[in-house]
Amino acid sequence: MYLSNKFFTLFIAIFLVGFAISTAQTSEYTIDGMTFGMPEAEVFTEDYDGPPVVGEYITMLPNLAPLDYEGNKHHEIRLDAMVQEIEVADGVRYRAWTFGGTVPGPVIHVKEGDRITFTMKNRSDEMVTITEPGAEASPFLNQVANNNFMDAKPGIMPMPHSMDFHAGTVAKDDKWRTIAPGETIKFDWVANYAGSYIYHCGTPSVLMHTAMGQHGVVVVSPKDGYTDDYEVDREFVVVQSEYYLKKGAGDLYTYDYEAAQTVNPSHVVFNGHQTILHDQPLEANAGERVRIHFSNNGPSGTSSFHVIGAIFDRVWMEGHPFNEMRGMQTVLLGASGSATMDLIVPEEGKYTLIDHEFADAEKGATGTLKAGAKK
Amino acid sequence: MYHPLKYITLMLAAAVLLFGSPAAHAQQSAASIPEGEFHSVLPEIEGEPITVSAFHLDRTAVTNAEFAEFLKENSRWSRSQIPAIFTRDGYLRHWKSDLEPGPENPDDAPVTRVSWFAANAYCGAAGGRLPTLNEWEYSAQLMEFDDPADMNAFAYELMGWYSAVSTDNKNAVGSTGIENRFGVKDQFGLIMEWVEDFEPPVGTDISLDCGTVGRMQQLGSVYSYAASVRYITRMSFNAKTVTGMVGFRCAYDSPLQQENQKAL
Amino acid sequence: MEKIISIYALIFLISGFGVIQAQHSHQNHNAMDTKEVSSEHSVYHTQAEWTNHRNETFLLHELKGKPVIVTMFYGNCTQVCPILIRDANRVFTAVDSSLRNDVQVLAITFDTKNDTPEILKAYANKKELNIPQWHFVTGPDAAIRELAMMLGVQYSKKSDGHFAHSNLVTVLDSKGRIVHRLEGLNQPVDEAAHWIENHILKTKNENLSHKHHK
């Protein structure tokens, strides 16, 4: 009797403490194992002048950082908004609005269920160099420093910006809100769904902000993988996007508003540059299984993605393991649509990645996969 | 409390005001804008134009030289003295020193990297105020175009400018060649400008995200599209914001006494 | 048995506390919203000269040393502003009468054109608030705009001469920093009043201990 009384009291005490803690927390809740109800975003001003990209699993296209951890992880990620003058095609340079300094922005890799605390400073009024990574810098910055194929140079063009992660499920008027130059926004989100998701600036005009370069991809790898049938040998990320540029007064090109409104891009490219995937082709060997996480970032066009000489053995639409398709020659993706595609490299030689809408292809939407002999 | 020093200062200030506003600013005369109405991308009542009473507006934006003059007599607004409540970091960071724009920043280029508080104080000291948003926008669209095609072409240029603006700010005020029919220059093409109410109350319901442009684009013209970009940019500011693209000009309710104030 | 009852009472209490935490109080946003402000810095940095209803001019930082209740209104406002003034007064009178001498109240007009010191005096008399701690104040337009911006008060003049404006009563500490904001009308005043009382007592104690150390 005495013992059970004490036990009862202890149980109640623990229950009370737990209840108090849980109600004193935010309004988070779960449905189907997914977490919703993130705390409110914070907007503040801080004098941060460190690396503009922070995060261990962030890389430059077409690379994807391997997720070397079990279970879920809480990531601290920073992606600052800033201006960089970049080359997008031979002889074509313009001052781009970017996240992290490249167009498209860095590839963020997380696992389904991971929580991300994201910070972004609007540094559009500061000169930010991305080619001198410090100690804290993300692998992305090291890769850019070693391979600055866009020949990125800092620039200043103070504009309001915001961040919209399609991979995040949150209230847009809170987390995707616009901040003025100099301000910083910080918020949490949980990668509830597997897939490849665009992130882009949500400040109006979104057409302009996205076309000016503020977009990228978050790859959310499914917690149980895509298939148990085989292991993949190579994994790449490819992003298609459009540019609407016209020659400006000086050497630089500028945004062509009319072209953007009429969806008449000047360039349609893979991984931000008209010739990069030819100059630096994807590499594999015959007989290997190659996985491509492909996103059509738009802003406005569609993509009929095909690899000349190959057929996609398996395709998961939007990168979700549930959406498996087999034997696709061409995958049609609307703006912001994505797919994870596995192909078997048949033989040694060259394969062309292409947007089979030839008006796009002729504006640059092509790339090369170079295959060596079967190992 | 009786402060003799205060009285003397007041008298001196009155004398300065009587014989001409803070000297450097008087070098430009304000344009006289008559009462009128215009269709705003953020109307108070949908479909109805906004009426603006007659007022006076600086022909050109406030320049580095003019702001330096103001700082000489109001050093508490200088870079090293301005309190943190009135600005965020970066206030006049491009100037050589507290009172000198320096050789990199021409005297007659518009002053930028000043917060709303500083602009408001300057205009108050100049015997005026910041223009209201409606006054500024009303004046901006008082340009003469031969036909709609001209206006569209102009608006396309404007969009180009918003996506490629340079913050070198070496261009002198008046140099864009853009002028409204009352002589107000460079409301486009040079800098964005502070207004008294940059976050209009009717705008507080609009969260600045996708779709806002669609909501603002009721007027269906390229000009209104460009205007919506401008509104949105302004609405993202707060009073302490400081950027290399934002400066200001002043408005007045009654005509300024314009004496020849070359002597400083 | 009593133990179990008290345990259940405790559960009830804590769950109630949790529920209150999770709720948001929804304000009536018919008027203009107020803007976010920083409370790190004092608003007394403004150098403008203000004139009160006794036709005295003063600088805002002369109010340093005592907590200040601030609200912004205008004379011709017949529906909402009287409530604002009454709210400021409710905070003022909620402070214990023994400490009330150390509280200042500022009622600042948007309508510099019409609300001259004479008009303000008549207004003060009408409201029976022509007392030493209350100041009905006007000043240069730029100064009013600046202070409103610091307090987070939005206002704009309408074509009929009236003003659309946020409804806000702010409490400043003795250094001029924003410590309390009562947004909207008819807000509960106890928290603000208690804060003022504690602040006055604390300041008094600090002054006393300083005197001792001399």
Side-chain angles (χ1 to χ4, degrees):
Chain A
M1 237 324 248
Y2 185 69
L3 221 66
S4 65
N5 242 353
K6 246 206 165 137
F7 178 75
F8 182 66
T9 317
L10 186 64
F11 177 76
I12 295 294
I14 292 174
F15 173 78
L16 287 174
V17 170
F19 192 77
I21 288 176
S22 66
T23 51
Q25 275 244 35
T26 62
S27 43
E28 284 180 36
Y29 63 95
T30 57
I31 293 181
D32 289 352
M34 297 184 290
T35 311
F36 302 100
M38 295 288 109
E40 205 179 317
E42 292 165 46
V43 175
F44 52 92
T45 314
E46 73 170 352
D47 207 4
Y48 178 83
D49 64 351
V53 181
V54 172
E56 278 175 71
Y57 303 94
I58 305 184
T59 50
M60 189 173 85
L61 285 161
N63 308 299
L64 187 65
L67 295 183
D68 52 7
Y69 53 91
E70 293 290 314
N72 288 123
K73 195 178 164 72
H74 184 155
H75 301 266
E76 301 270 338
I77 289 180
R78 168 185 287 271
L79 216 55
D80 288 339
M82 70 247 226
V83 174
Q84 292 284 308
E85 190 195 294
I86 55 171
E87 179 189 291
V88 303
D90 199 23
V92 179
R93 291 181 68 84
Y94 84 106
R95 282 192 303 145
W97 299 349
T98 77
F99 291 119
T102 57
V103 179
V107 178
I108 297 176
H109 194 186
V110 299
K111 194 186 293 181
E112 181 188 349
D114 280 353
R115 189 185 189 103
I116 294 100
T117 296
F118 174 74
T119 307
M120 173 176 85
K121 182 181 184 194
N122 182 340
R123 294 166 84 166
S124 59
D125 196 25
E126 299 167 42
M127 298 289 251
V128 184
T129 307
I130 58 168
T131 49
E132 289 157 24
E136 275 171 46
S138 159
F140 165 80
L141 288 173
N142 286 310
Q143 287 163 0
V144 170
N146 289 329
N147 181 12
N148 188 9
F149 68 85
M150 289 186 133
D151 195 21
K153 296 194 170 85
I156 290 184
M157 219 194 302
M159 284 298 274
H161 292 301
S162 62
M163 169 60 84
D164 176 349
F165 282 113
H166 275 219
T169 44
V170 293
K172 68 158 188 164
D173 57 342
D174 179 43
K175 314 285 187 301
W176 306 160
R177 74 177 106 143
T178 294
I179 55 175
E183 288 188 318
T184 301
I185 187 168
K186 183 170 180 174
F187 56 85
D188 277 12
W189 57 278
V190 174
N192 280 324
Y193 293 89
S196 299
Y197 293 90
I198 186 178
Y199 63 79
H200 64 92
C201 178
T203 303
S205 127
V206 183
L207 173 57
M208 182 165 84
H209 282 255
T210 311
M212 283 293 285
Q214 287 181 310
H215 58 87
V217 118
V218 175
V219 174
V220 183
S221 281
K223 54 181 185 275
D224 298 321
Y226 286 103
T227 174
D228 293 329
D229 295 348
Y230 57 82
E231 295 283 311
V232 146
D233 299 296
R234 316 263 171 176
E235 216 167 341
F236 300 109
V237 185
V238 177
V239 172
Q240 177 173 329
S241 63
E242 303 121 43
Y243 288 114
Y244 299 88
L245 298 171
K246 61 180 179 184
K247 196 103 201 303
D251 290 329
L252 295 179
Y253 280 64
T254 59
Y255 175 65
D256 186 347
Y257 156 80
E258 210 183 335
Q261 293 280 308
T262 52
V263 195
N264 183 16
S266 54
H267 308 78
V268 184
V269 298
F270 290 149
N271 294 353
H273 189 289
Q274 212 178 39
T275 57
I276 186 59
L277 277 184
H278 295 296
D279 299 335
Q280 299 177 11
L282 305 181
E283 291 182 358
N285 292 314
E288 287 179 346
R289 291 191 187 260
V290 171
R291 174 166 291 161
I292 298 178
H293 299 275
F294 186 89
S295 177
N296 175 19
N297 281 7
S300 303
T302 56
S303 176
S304 301
F305 187 62
H306 170 69
V307 175
I308 301 179
I311 296 177
F312 298 117
D313 186 57
R314 303 209 190 179
V315 178
W316 293 275
M317 297 306 290
E318 296 292 335
H320 196 287
F322 193 81
N323 304 335
E324 185 173 301
M325 315 267 271
R326 301 264 181 125
M328 295 189 76
Q329 76 189 273
T330 298
V331 179
L332 175 62
L333 296 170
S336 83
S338 72
T340 298
M341 311 172 224
D342 286 2
L343 60 90
I344 299 166
V345 181
E347 55 195 43
E348 189 180 345
K350 280 196 185 154
Y351 302 84
T352 303
L353 283 68
I354 193 168
D355 174 358
H356 219 271
E357 291 162 41
F358 277 99
D360 293 343
E362 292 187 5
K363 289 180 183 171
T366 58
T368 302
L369 170 67
K370 204 169 93 175
K374 189 166 189 309
K375 297 276 178 285
Chain B
M1 283 175 270
Y2 178 72
H3 286 296
L5 199 61
K6 200 200 283 185
Y7 271 64
I8 292 172
T9 323
L10 271 173
M11 279 168 62
L12 270 171
V16 170
L17 276 169
L18 260 168
F19 292 102
S21 46
H25 189 74
Q27 286 187 25
Q28 47 164 309
S29 55
S32 194
I33 318 256
E35 172 172 320
E37 56 183 35
F38 77 108
H39 282 274
S40 161
V41 292
L42 267 190
E44 280 163 35
I45 301 167
E46 247 189 75
E48 304 241 320
I50 293 180
T51 309
V52 178
S53 312
F55 68 109
H56 304 266
L57 189 62
D58 280 344
R59 283 178 201 277
T60 55
V62 173
T63 63
N64 282 319
E66 290 169 337
F67 202 75
E69 271 311 301
F70 163 74
L71 290 179
K72 275 202 196 120
E73 290 158 44
N74 298 278
S75 62
R76 67 182 185 278
W77 289 102
S78 68
R79 185 168 69 190
S80 62
Q81 289 188 44
I82 185 172
I85 196 173
F86 288 146
T87 180
R88 70 157 190 92
D89 291 333
Y91 182 80
L92 290 177
R93 73 166 194 238
H94 57 305
W95 275 26
K96 178 164 164 223
S97 73
D98 264 23
L99 300 177
E100 294 171 84
E104 300 277 303
N105 300 298
D107 275 353
D108 54 0
V111 70
T112 58
R113 295 220 170 83
V114 286
S115 66
W116 179 92
F117 286 109
N120 180 60
Y122 178 101
C123 289
R129 53 178 175 76
L130 284 170
T132 65
L133 193 153
N134 285 334
E135 284 172 342
W136 197 97
E137 289 289 331
Y138 166 61
S139 165
Q141 49 89 60
L142 283 171
M143 281 183 294
E144 276 159 340
F145 294 106
D146 290 330
D147 56 46
D150 260 7
M151 184 167 195
N152 276 349
F154 173 77
Y156 287 136
E157 290 288 309
L158 195 54
M159 285 305 300
W161 181 67
Y162 285 134
S163 58
V165 69
S166 156
T167 56
D168 284 342
N169 288 330
K170 306 262 192 280
N171 297 322
V173 294
S175 61
T176 63
I178 297 171
E179 192 173 327
N180 82 0
R181 68 175 79 116
F182 297 99
V184 178
K185 303 182 187 182
D186 320 315
Q187 284 190 268
F188 307 106
L190 202 59
I191 49 168
M192 289 225 187
E193 298 182 5
W194 282 116
V195 294
E196 191 178 77
D197 51 343
F198 52 89
E199 262 181 301
V202 68
T204 45
D205 285 338
I206 299 178
S207 55
L208 298 181
D209 50 35
C210 310
T212 307
V213 159
R215 207 183 128 164
M216 283 184 175
Q217 214 185 324
Q218 323 150 10
L219 306 176
S221 68
V222 181
Y223 180 83
S224 67
Y225 186 93
S228 62
V229 171
R230 191 166 58 246
Y231 272 70
I232 284 155
T233 304
R234 271 189 306 236
M235 280 155 67
S236 77
F237 296 154
N238 61 64
K240 292 163 66 158
T241 299
V242 153
T243 86
M245 198 164 103
V246 178
F248 67 103
R249 71 181 71 208
C250 301
Y252 314 86
D253 289 318
S254 53
L256 263 187
Q257 299 288 23
Q258 297 304 320
E259 315 289 21
N260 195 347
Q261 287 292 322
K262 283 289 179 180
L264 299 175
Chain C
M1 191 57 199
E2 284 90 43
K3 203 185 236 175
I4 296 189
I5 291 176
S6 56
I7 284 170
Y8 275 113
L10 217 61
I11 295 176
F12 186 73
L13 248 154
I14 292 189
S15 49
F17 178 70
V19 166
I20 289 169
Q21 283 246 16
Q23 262 180 2
H24 276 298
S25 63
H26 263 288
Q27 314 271 349
N28 180 7
H29 285 307
N30 275 335
M32 285 158 75
D33 287 340
T34 50
K35 302 206 292 217
E36 287 171 36
V37 290
S38 114
S39 45
E40 268 181 84
H41 305 287
S42 165
V43 307
Y44 291 157
H45 283 291
T46 168
Q47 293 292 315
E49 227 172 53
W50 303 85
T51 311
N52 65 18
H53 66 282
R54 304 175 190 95
N55 230 332
E56 298 164 338
T57 54
F58 65 100
L59 297 172
L60 219 54
H61 66 74
E62 289 171 36
L63 294 166
K64 257 193 196 163
K66 296 182 177 177
V68 180
I69 302 167
V70 191
T71 188
M72 298 184 80
F73 78 114
Y74 68 105
N76 286 331
C77 164
T78 49
Q79 298 192 321
V80 163
C81 301
I83 305 178
L84 265 182
I85 300 287
R86 199 181 69 207
D87 278 351
N89 198 23
R90 281 170 55 229
V91 179
F92 179 65
T93 52
V95 173
D96 194 85
S97 49
S98 63
L99 302 169
R100 226 177 277 160
N101 273 340
D102 288 322
V103 182
Q104 303 280 305
V105 186
L106 270 187
I108 303 173
T109 181
F110 302 118
D111 194 357
T112 56
K113 206 169 98 178
N114 289 320
D115 291 342
T116 60
E118 292 71 42
I119 301 276
L120 288 173
K121 184 163 196 176
Y123 192 90
N125 282 327
K126 203 173 86 178
K127 299 280 174 200
E128 295 178 11
L129 287 171
N130 189 359
I131 55 181
Q133 300 96 321
W134 273 74
H135 312 273
F136 291 83
V137 169
T138 181
D141 279 321
I144 292 176
R145 189 51 85 172
E146 184 182 63
L147 185 65
M149 193 63 87
M150 286 192 282
L151 295 175
V153 172
Q154 299 195 74
Y155 69 99
S156 73
K157 192 167 184 177
K158 302 197 286 193
S159 37
D160 59 1
H162 280 272
F163 290 82
H165 59 91
S166 331
N167 298 323
L168 180 68
V169 175
T170 310
V171 177
L172 306 174
D173 71 6
S174 52
K175 292 205 172 89
R177 293 175 297 205
I178 297 168
V179 291
H180 261 290
R181 302 172 86 217
L182 285 76
E183 295 177 59
L185 302 169
N186 291 319
Q187 296 302 309
V189 299
D190 289 327
E191 210 188 313
H194 282 149
W195 188 94
I196 292 175
E197 286 167 351
N198 287 335
H199 187 74
I200 294 173
L201 289 170
K202 207 173 82 157
T203 321
K204 276 193 150 89
N205 281 336
E206 279 169 8
N207 288 341
L208 265 170
S209 66
H210 281 156
K211 286 204 177 106
H212 274 295
H213 288 309
K214 278 185 186 151

